[in-house]
Amino acid sequence: MSAAQTTTTMRLALRDGQGGDYLVPVAELTALAVAMLERTGVPAADAAIVANGLISADARGMNSHGILRLPVYIKRLQQGGFSPVSRFDIVRETPGTALIDGGNGLGAVLTTRAMELAIAKARQTGVAAVGVRNSNHNGEGAPYALQAVRAGMVGIATTNGSPIMPVWGGKTPLTGPLPITFGVPADQERPIVLDAALGMSSRGKILYYAEKGLELPPGWLVDADGAPTTDPNWVRNGGWILPIGGHKGWGLILMCEILTGILTGGAFGRDLTNLYDDLDTGQGNGHFVIALNIAAFIDLPSFKARIDGYIREMKQSELAPGVKEILMPGEIEFRREAEQRANGILLSRSVVDELLASAKGLGIVVASQA
């Protein structure tokens, strides 16, 4: 805390949840996260984007990309690894494309603005793509695809990350289990949102398992020698995450790396810095978003009605043995989000403790009622 900052007291009501975890009100958690980011010099509007993205991930059950990331964001903002002010410098531009230099800004802010620009361009050109370089960790991909969905478009988003897995057949880490997200609007039904890391899991989710003391499902991770393991701590100690679908999944990861790192002229492979290492150094992440204007192909109400019909047809399928319900991509997350926004977000005690300690270091005293 700088000398100019005064101590602030904020409230965070904590209720006992399942498994010894806390239930935390969304509004209070959001206010705390925004206040913490503002204390490091992040503008209020940008702080809201980052906070809402992290808390949305928790609400959707994607805790690996949720508020547990905020303390390391704060450290990076304090030590220079993240710039609190996210520049959005247009390096190249055509009617349907743009290349952005993010000036080491906040990944969530830069990707949000990139999708806003892609949507605006797609209204004129039908399809638009925006690449971002010189950025940092941007959290869960779903919020960016949902920006396009709310605009009546199909949204696609991907990003690169620090090298924690080798190329197929190798042992030298050169890439990561990169994510790709698609969002498709519907009418009466929920949107279809496919938000998938192209590894068997993400590093964040495996770290979440480690933090909870849980074993991994078989087939997610190998140790430093390439032998299968269910111990999540190997992700920190030279092990690596396996790609989905073997060599096919690795090929998809390669395409994401090309779009986000090579096409943008930005960092890729071993030039990228891990979120939790070298906190005074920018990560160099690249992002790539596409907005596809449905109205350029078919009128939007008709498209949405067709999607509704297709969803209902799929849900009426005869069920395979042991299956209770056909679920669309993103449906579980939408249901969980509605429940947690109403009843409180489930957070582990260790995540809450680290969050409160980080807040205290910024001069924010949290009056929690457990």
Side-chain angles (χ1 to χ4, degrees):
M1 181 177 67
S2 70
Q5 289 178 334
T6 58
T7 300
T8 300
T9 300
M10 300 188 71
R11 172 182 166 80
L12 193 66
L14 304 175
R15 294 183 290 117
D16 289 335
Q18 63 187 38
D21 292 342
Y22 286 128
L23 280 170
V24 186
V26 170
E28 293 180 3
L29 185 61
T30 303
L32 175 60
V34 168
M36 291 172 65
L37 289 160
E38 287 185 304
R39 280 288 172 111
T40 66
V42 178
D46 292 358
I49 289 172
V50 176
N52 285 325
L54 295 174
I55 292 163
S56 173
D58 278 317
R60 289 165 43 82
M62 302 292 105
N63 301 89
S64 59
H65 287 69
I67 204 71
L68 71 89
R69 302 278 187 160
L70 184 57
V72 73
Y73 281 20
I74 296 298
K75 290 176 183 177
R76 281 187 158 271
L77 285 161
Q78 291 174 318
Q79 297 183 36
F82 287 177
S83 172
V85 177
S86 300
R87 287 167 37 199
F88 195 76
D89 296 334
I90 297 177
V91 178
R92 294 190 180 193
E93 189 173 21
T94 73
T97 65
L99 174 61
I100 306 302
D101 189 291
N104 194 39
L106 293 158
V109 174
L110 293 167
T111 313
T112 297
R113 292 179 181 168
M115 184 57 90
E116 288 173 352
L117 180 57
I119 290 167
K121 286 179 172 291
R123 294 193 193 283
Q124 304 301 318
T125 61
V127 180
V130 178
V132 180
R133 69 187 186 198
N134 196 14
S135 181
N136 292 291
H137 188 269
N138 71 345
E140 189 190 19
Y144 314 121
L146 285 168
Q147 285 178 254
V149 167
R150 288 190 293 270
M153 300 187 188
V154 172
I156 305 171
T158 186
T159 184
N160 64 5
S162 57
I164 56 172
M165 65 188 298
V167 302
W168 186 251
K171 290 182 65 175
T172 304
L174 288 174
T175 186
L178 305 183
I180 189 163
T181 308
F182 293 81
V184 180
D187 187 16
Q188 300 301 314
E189 303 292 335
R190 295 183 180 91
I192 296 174
V193 179
L194 176 64
D195 186 5
L198 296 173
M200 291 299 294
S201 184
S202 67
R203 177 181 171 88
K205 181 172 286 188
I206 291 176
L207 289 171
Y208 180 75
Y209 271 75
E211 185 267 326
K212 297 288 287 184
L214 301 172
E215 283 194 353
L216 297 175
W220 282 20
L221 192 68
V222 294
D223 64 20
D225 295 320
T229 180
T230 58
D231 180 358
N233 291 294
W234 275 109
V235 80
R236 297 190 183 101
N237 299 314
W240 65 85
I241 300 164
L242 294 170
I244 61 169
H247 64 284
K248 295 180 181 180
W250 177 76
L252 290 172
I253 290 169
L254 176 61
M255 295 303 108
C256 292
E257 188 79 81
I258 289 169
L259 290 175
T260 56
I262 296 177
L263 182 63
T264 61
F268 61 92
R270 284 181 286 184
D271 291 333
L272 292 160
T273 301
N274 187 280
L275 178 65
Y276 292 91
D277 300 330
D278 302 319
L279 300 181
D280 59 350
T281 303
Q283 292 184 268
N285 293 64
H287 320 301
F288 198 82
V289 300
I290 299 172
L292 190 158
N293 189 350
I294 292 164
F297 298 86
I298 184 174
D299 65 277
L300 182 59
S302 176
F303 176 85
K304 288 182 173 181
R306 287 165 65 87
I307 289 291
D308 276 2
Y310 193 34
I311 290 172
R312 290 164 187 164
E313 184 177 356
M314 287 186 281
K315 282 184 164 292
Q316 291 167 5
S317 298
E318 185 177 353
L319 299 178
V323 176
K324 296 181 179 179
E325 179 185 5
I326 301 294
L327 294 167
M328 293 295 102
E331 187 169 0
I332 291 174
E333 289 78 12
F334 281 122
R335 291 179 182 180
R336 186 177 291 123
E337 181 173 16
E339 177 186 349
Q340 293 208 88
R341 287 192 181 278
N343 301 322
I345 292 178
L346 194 66
L347 296 176
S348 73
R349 290 175 181 260
S350 62
V351 167
V352 172
D353 289 345
E354 186 177 6
L355 180 67
L356 299 188
S358 180
K360 185 177 180 180
L362 293 167
I364 301 173
V365 176
V366 180
S368 58
Q369 180 180 349

